[in-house]
Each structure stands twice: as structure tokens, then as C-alpha cells.
Amino acid sequence: MSESRSEKNWWHSATVYQIYPRSFFDSNGDGIGDLRGITLHLDYLKKLGIGLIWLSPIFKSPMDDNGYDISDYQDIAAEFGTLRDFEELLEEARKRDIGILLDLVVNHTSDEHPWFMEARKSEDNPFRNFYIWRDPDQDGGPPNSLQSSFGGPAWSYEPATGQYYFHQFSRRQPDLNWDNPEVRCEIYNMMNWWLDKGIAGFRMDVIDRIAKEVDSEITADGPRLHEYLQEMHRETLAERNVLTVGEAWSATPGSALLYCGEDRNELSMVFQFEHVTQQWDQLYGKWRSKPFDLVALKSVLGKWQHALANDGWNSLFWGNHDLPRVVSNYGDTAGYHRESATMLATALHLLKGTPFIYQGEEIGMTNAVFQRIEQYRDVETLNMHRLHIEAGLSVEEFIAGANRNSRDNARTPMQWNSAPHGGFTTGTPWIESNPNYPQINVNQNLRDDRSIWNHYRRLIALRKSEPVIVYGTYQGYFDQHPNLYVYTRTLGTRRVVIIANFTAESVTFTVPNELRGRGRCLISNYENIKELESGVTMRPFEAFAVLQQIERSSSC
Ligand code: TEU
Ligand code: CA
């Protein structure tokens, strides 16, 4: 049995579940999700079958960006609980063979972090060089035209010392100066402190942006990036056999192999976003996304499957806490909610790589339906609202864009049952629940064997029972077909054929000769699927996978 990747890792057959603590479960009625709320639901996750939980930031923070602005890396935000609560979560998860990944947010800190509180006091403060300061340009304005990802200049003026400091996100998230070895040392010590507690690894926030060169306007993929990641690996990750995934919006197949190639000693994998941004408008980005194009999506997914076939490792995700709900973005929540949600899960989870499920995706949660900007909470959405309206976009147009792509679409409370606020809290939730919780909730899914939840449970189990799903070689078919996604995974004499209809119409196609033949259905979202004989008609959003025994072909 030849496998493209020489060494197997414990996490290769695992599926990861991302939790946004603020919106998962509120255990004390203050309207904000918390750590005890997660511990109380570990059996729910155990039943789903996931092996790892990625926790979005839980650390002390003034919550300007919901925790992605940290003021103390080694303490828990009061609204989320205590270090004791975290240790209990870690222990209870371990008892259920579930590992915990923490979110490492070290491109920037909060402006309330003691390092910055000191740094902004004076130019000769010992912490000054923990951040990036520049004099105003000759007209007193920002040093250069670099922009923040949340809109507006990436520079803010500090009157106390008459200089500007750099921030790629909000002005309350000053960027750290990674060229300062003291900064790197502090971060490695903090990482080892958490790793010594027995966490399973890290998700690393905007890791492609830490080695910035602001004077030459380089923010992502800076020249010293991989030098720092290899140093980080030496100082913290080596010998620990943990999982690390780096968020890298700038990643390409080529640069991804620099991060996670087998001999690189940097990361296990990256989150690349080409399958997301290919749908965005050049000028307005996600605030005016283009119509869905399956051929474009398939070409991106196929490219990454081939590029990391023999080295590196792919992450697989449709959603996260920054992205719209997958069934709203690519599915049909009106006519074919269950069918489209299960089709999208099948099409993604049978690809090669590690799948990430974002909380609520496993029950088909949909985008929020906010009509007024006052209902939104996300710093990026509120900033962009101000800027786009000033730039002449109508409120209606902005709200329409936000309804499609605001990050708050992913942040409405988890829907557990049909009780008020979907059973998320006995108080008033920090952000409104989606009014469809009486129809879309965990209890309803657990009661229905054909539910979206049970489909995810089966997909997760397949990855553990079928090595071909983990290590099989990927091959796409009908790449130009506008409605169908057809691909195979082959390992030795076992081949899985995956067919998914991305439309609400029935689609008939002729099965290629080399794919014809009897097989065993591994999973489907419709009853009685047809044999892969000559022609097959796929019902609306139908998806299934068939396992076939084939002659050992020379290639595999
Ligand atoms: O996101 C990085 C990032 O680039 C996104 O904010 C992106 O610009 C935007 O969502 C595109 O829609 C990471 C975290 O995932 C995000 O939640 C944080 O706000 C951001 O970094 C800063 O820490
Ligand atoms: Ca709470």
C-alpha cells in the first residue's frame, strides 16, 4: 500500500470542531457563552465523533474584537470563566479523547496589554520596541498608506510621544514587532506554559502577517516569516507531537508547502482562503460578492488537492467565525435545507485533508437576518458600515451585503432547542438569536436519523474507518460541469467515487467508463441511490459516495 505522505500523524483521521465560546452555551445566565457551557456539552461533541476542539480566544480581553485583542495571554476572560474552569474543560475533554486547540493571537495584542500600556508612555520605555512606531510624514499624517483590514489607515497617532503606531486590524489591536527577539521569547514562553498543561496544539491567528516590513509596505509573507516559524518550532513545538494550523489569507499552494511541507518543521497545515475569496468582488470584496460559480470553486479545491498530494496537508472548511454560514452561502435554505447542507458536507469531508466543522454547521444553522445596523456587533462590520456609507453606498445596499457576508452571520447563539433564544441562555443574549431556532436546533436533529447532524456523524466515522478517505489520491472529473462535483479517492485497490449535485434541479450525466461498476454506498443524503452503470440522474442537491474494488492500477 503506497501512500503519498511518508509519515502518518495522529490527527490525520480526526475531525476538528470550532467553538466560538461567546455564542456556544451560557451556563450562568449573563447572556454570554462560557467555558462551563462547553464542558456541559462535551458528551454532545463526543457523540458527534470529533477528536479535537479549536477554541476561539478565551483570554483576558477588553473584547474590542471579541477576544482577538488579548490583554493577558495567561489568564481567562472573566466572562468566559477561570483558569480552573479551563483546566476542568481540558481534563473532561481528555477523558473523552478530545484534544483542545487554543487560538494563538500573536500578530497583535490589545491596547490594554501591559506591554502596550508601557510602550505608549515614552520613546525610551523598555517595551517601546515591542510595537511598531513611526514619525508622522511631513504633513503630519500617517507614515504611509497602509490600510487596516477593518477599514481606514493602519496607523493611529499617539499624542503622548508624537508618533504613530501600526495596527493591521482595529486601532485597539496594535501590532507586535516580531523583529524584537524579546517579543519572540515572551511568546514562546507563553506557548510552552499552555503546552505544558497538555493542550493538543494551536490555531494561529493571521500567522502570515507577523513578519511585516512596514517601511516597504510588506504586511503578509514577510522575508523573515519562515525563519521565525522555524525558531518557534524549535523553541516550543518540536518533540511535542501537537497539531498546529496557521491562518494565512495570503497562502498559495506554493507558499503553503513552505509552512507545512514535511521537512519544514514549521506547522501541520494552514487555513488557505482561495475557495472563499474567489467569490468576492475585486473592489468591494465580500461586501458585494459575485454569483456562485461551481467551476471556479472546483478548480480551486482541485488545485489544492493536487498541490498537497505528496507533501504538506490540507485543511478543509466551509465556515468559521469570520465567514457566512455555508448552507446560506452555497445551499438552499428555503427548498432544500437538509439536502443542500448534507451535500455540502459530503463534498468537502471526503476530500483529502483535515475537516473543520464550525459550531452550528452540523445542524445547518443559517445566516442571521438582521435589518438594522444596530443589531450587528462585529467591529469589522460596524467599521465598514461607517466607511461604505461615507463612500456613498446606500444603507440598504450595505445591509444586503452584510446579510450575505458579515462575520456576525456566524456568531448568533448556538441553537440547542426550541426554548427562548434556542436554549442558549436564560438571560438576554449578547447578540440576537436567529428566529429560526424552533425549526433548526440540536434536539430536533438528534431525534431524526436522517438529520444533518447524523450525516456529519457518519462522515466523521467514515474518516476513521476508511483509510482511503484519509490517504487516497484525489482525481477530479467533469471539471467544467456547472452543476456537478465528481471526484475519486483511490488507495491501492479501493476507490471511492463522490458525486454531488450543487443545484435544486435534477441533473443527468453519463458515468465515465472507468468509473462504472458495482460498489458499496458509503454515504448518501437520499434513499436508494443508483448503481454507477451508464447514465445517472442526480436529484436536487443529491450527494453520495460509492466504494469500489478496482484492479491495482500502476499509479497507486
Ligand atoms: O482574521 C483575519 C482576517 O483577515 C479576517 O478578519 C478577515 O479580514 C475578515 O474576516 C475577512 O472577512 C483573524 C481572525 O479570524 C478574526 O476573527 C480577527 O478579527 C482577526 O484575525 C484579527 O485578530
Ligand atoms: Ca455566561
Side-chain angles (χ1 to χ4, degrees):
M1 172 159 83
S2 65
E3 289 139 12
S4 55
R5 194 190 159 86
S6 60
E7 156 247 337
K8 285 189 171 185
N9 277 315
W10 58 268
W11 40 266
H12 276 171
S13 58
T15 296
V16 185
Y17 188 89
Q18 180 194 358
I19 290 180
Y20 196 69
R22 206 174 181 79
S23 302
F24 191 67
F25 188 81
D26 171 23
S27 68
N28 62 352
D30 64 355
I32 298 175
D34 45 54
L35 293 179
R36 292 191 56 67
I38 300 171
T39 305
L40 288 169
H41 290 86
L42 285 174
D43 289 335
Y44 163 74
L45 296 174
K46 180 63 184 167
K47 267 208 296 289
L48 181 61
I50 57 104
L52 288 153
I53 293 173
W54 153 26
L55 280 180
S56 274
I58 57 175
F59 315 104
K60 254 197 181 16
S61 165
M63 298 296 171
D64 177 63
D65 185 16
N66 290 357
Y68 282 92
D69 51 315
I70 297 169
S71 55
D72 184 339
Y73 286 105
Q74 291 168 230
D75 199 358
I76 305 295
E79 57 261 61
F80 292 153
T82 65
L83 269 174
R84 184 70 215 94
D85 292 331
F86 175 74
E87 272 137 17
E88 186 193 359
L89 170 60
L90 192 61
E91 180 52 24
E92 291 300 320
R94 197 185 53 65
K95 285 187 190 147
R96 296 164 176 80
D97 295 332
I98 295 176
I100 303 283
L101 304 176
L102 289 181
D103 210 315
L104 185 74
V105 186
V106 291
N107 172 71
H108 46 268
T109 68
S110 162
D111 62 355
E112 292 187 19
H113 191 293
W115 295 341
F116 190 73
M117 306 288 270
E118 284 297 314
R120 69 189 320 167
K121 286 182 177 155
S122 66
E123 290 194 49
D124 56 7
N125 181 288
F127 288 95
R128 186 73 169 185
N129 195 26
F130 270 50
Y131 297 88
I132 298 168
W133 303 89
R134 294 289 184 279
D135 293 335
D137 75 358
Q138 64 272 13
D139 70 358
N144 62 29
S145 61
L146 281 173
Q147 296 295 297
S148 156
S149 292
F150 291 164
W155 297 95
S156 288
Y157 186 69
E158 174 55 50
T161 54
Q163 284 196 310
Y164 282 85
Y165 65 88
F166 181 67
H167 53 84
Q168 293 187 68
F169 296 93
S170 90
R171 63 176 186 72
R172 303 205 57 199
Q173 293 167 296
D175 270 50
L176 282 167
N177 171 17
W178 271 70
D179 297 346
N180 177 348
E182 284 178 67
V183 167
R184 301 197 307 270
C185 181
E186 288 282 348
I187 289 169
Y188 303 155
N189 293 344
M190 173 267 287
M191 291 174 70
N192 282 322
W193 188 80
W194 286 109
L195 288 163
D196 290 346
K197 287 181 179 300
I199 63 170
F202 290 105
R203 176 266 187 188
M204 301 185 180
D205 192 57
V206 285
I207 204 67
D208 60 338
R209 303 212 197 173
I210 60 175
K212 53 240 144 192
E213 310 251 335
V214 295
D215 301 330
S216 32
E217 305 209 354
I218 295 172
T219 54
D221 234 356
R224 300 187 68 183
L225 175 60
H226 294 288
E227 172 199 338
Y228 293 153
L229 291 178
Q230 286 173 7
E231 180 189 65
M232 175 197 275
H233 191 276
R234 276 195 308 278
E235 301 296 324
T236 65
L237 307 170
E239 317 322 316
R240 287 194 191 260
N241 202 5
V242 293
L243 186 154
T244 51
V245 52
E247 181 198 28
W249 284 75
S250 64
T252 62
S255 69
L257 285 170
L258 298 177
Y259 289 98
C260 61
E262 203 157 330
D263 311 335
R264 294 290 299 175
N265 294 323
E266 298 186 19
L267 307 179
S268 313
M269 65 187 96
V270 294
F271 285 137
Q272 54 87 11
F273 293 82
E274 259 188 77
H275 61 308
V276 173
T277 53
Q278 55 85 22
Q279 204 192 356
W280 289 2
D281 170 85
Q282 287 326 7
L283 183 55
Y284 280 97
K286 66 179 183 180
W287 303 105
R288 187 188 290 168
S289 51
K290 292 182 284 201
F292 175 60
D293 174 345
L294 180 61
V295 172
L297 177 66
K298 290 190 290 187
S299 89
V300 169
L301 294 174
K303 177 177 72 177
W304 280 86
Q305 288 286 298
H306 288 299
L308 276 59
N310 303 314
D311 191 7
W313 190 262
N314 270 302
S315 62
L316 305 171
F317 66 98
W318 286 131
N320 66 23
H321 61 293
D322 291 335
L323 299 174
R325 291 285 183 182
V326 60
V327 71
S328 298
N329 204 21
Y330 299 129
D332 176 338
T333 54
Y336 293 97
H337 178 246
R338 184 191 71 78
E339 293 81 2
S340 59
T342 50
M343 177 281 289
L344 288 159
T346 307
L348 185 83
H349 279 240
L350 298 181
L351 290 172
K352 186 164 187 263
T354 295
F356 287 76
I357 299 172
Y358 178 64
Q359 70 181 45
E361 185 185 322
E362 78 278 15
I363 58 171
M365 281 179 63
T366 64
N367 279 355
V369 282
F370 296 159
Q371 294 322 316
R372 294 171 293 104
I373 193 65
E374 291 72 25
Q375 295 172 284
Y376 286 96
R377 298 282 178 276
D378 168 33
V379 58
E380 180 190 55
T381 304
L382 299 175
N383 267 14
M384 290 300 186
H385 173 261
R386 186 169 38 75
L387 291 168
H388 284 294
I389 301 304
E390 274 162 16
L393 199 68
S394 69
V395 173
E396 293 62 38
E397 260 193 314
F398 182 83
I399 293 293
N403 276 173
R404 263 198 314 280
N405 276 314
S406 164
R407 306 190 305 173
D408 278 337
N409 284 316
R411 300 173 181 188
T412 56
M414 180 65 175
Q415 298 168 201
W416 296 99
N417 51 47
S418 53
H421 312 302
F424 163 73
T425 180
T426 54
T428 306
W430 69 278
I431 189 170
E432 290 171 38
S433 295
N434 189 312
N436 64 13
Y437 65 77
Q439 295 77 40
I440 297 177
N441 62 61
V442 167
N443 279 4
Q444 171 254 349
N445 270 263
L446 294 180
R447 284 196 298 271
D448 167 4
D449 182 53
R450 293 196 56 67
S451 68
I452 299 169
W453 189 86
N454 275 304
H455 194 85
Y456 271 88
R457 180 180 57 72
R458 294 189 183 98
L459 285 168
I460 294 167
L462 264 183
R463 180 168 287 275
K464 293 174 186 164
S465 62
E466 296 291 341
V468 63
I469 302 293
V470 181
Y471 295 112
T473 306
Y474 169 91
Q475 180 56 56
Y477 289 80
F478 300 100
D479 290 351
Q480 297 316 309
H481 198 298
N483 304 324
L484 292 181
Y485 190 10
V486 181
Y487 63 89
T488 60
R489 305 286 310 282
T490 306
L491 189 68
T493 59
R494 298 167 75 78
R495 175 176 65 192
V496 179
V497 181
I498 297 97
I499 306 173
N501 176 5
F502 273 68
T503 68
E505 277 74 47
S506 291
V507 179
T508 299
F509 76 106
T510 306
V511 179
N513 291 346
E514 74 261 30
L515 296 185
R516 291 187 184 179
R518 302 187 62 67
R520 174 165 65 84
C521 176
L522 291 178
I523 192 163
S524 72
N525 62 352
Y526 274 83
E527 303 290 332
N528 52 28
I529 66 150
K530 298 179 211 43
E531 284 299 338
L532 292 182
E533 290 318 332
S534 54
V536 166
T537 297
M538 297 294 284
R539 289 160 279 191
F541 295 106
E542 179 171 7
F544 59 75
V546 173
L547 174 64
Q548 298 172 322
Q549 209 55 33
I550 60 167
E551 288 318 301
R552 170 185 286 282
S553 61
S554 56
S555 68
C556 52

